[in-house]
Amino acid sequence: MDPEQFDQDLLAIRVPSVTPGPHMQALSERLSPRWGVLSRERMSHRRRTALVAGIAAASLLAAAAGTYTYHRYVFTTS
C-alpha cells in the first residue's frame, strides 16, 4: 500500500458533525441517567451536605492512616 495514497484517503474521509439538541440530551440521560440528572439540576442541600461530610471523613481517615504509617515505619526502624 502506498503511504501517500493512504494519507489522501484519510484526508478524504468526512467526519459527521453532531449538532446539539434534544436527541443529545436524551442520549446522555439514557447512557447515564443518575449523573445526567445531577449535572443538569442543582444538588439538593441534603445531598451536598452528605457529599461534603463524606469527603471530610475520607480526608481525615487518609490523614490518620498516613500519620500512623509514618510514625510506625520511621520511628520503629531506626
Side-chain angles (χ1 to χ4, degrees):
M1 177 176 241
D2 184 24
E4 290 189 23
Q5 180 63 34
F6 184 68
D7 288 340
Q8 290 175 0
D9 290 341
L10 285 178
L11 291 174
I13 296 174
R14 292 180 50 131
V15 178
S17 63
V18 178
T19 57
H23 64 284
M24 290 298 293
Q25 183 176 359
L27 181 63
S28 69
E29 289 174 5
R30 193 172 349 141
L31 292 176
S32 180
R34 185 170 161 209
W35 293 110
V37 170
L38 284 178
S39 65
R40 282 194 328 273
E41 297 175 358
R42 287 183 52 92
M43 204 179 287
S44 70
H45 180 67
R46 182 179 293 172
R47 185 173 285 174
R48 190 174 334 141
T49 303
L51 179 65
V52 169
I55 291 172
S59 299
L60 288 174
L61 286 173
T67 303
Y68 172 77
T69 304
Y70 174 76
H71 284 288
R72 179 173 177 175
Y73 289 105
V74 168
F75 294 119
T76 59
T77 57
S78 38

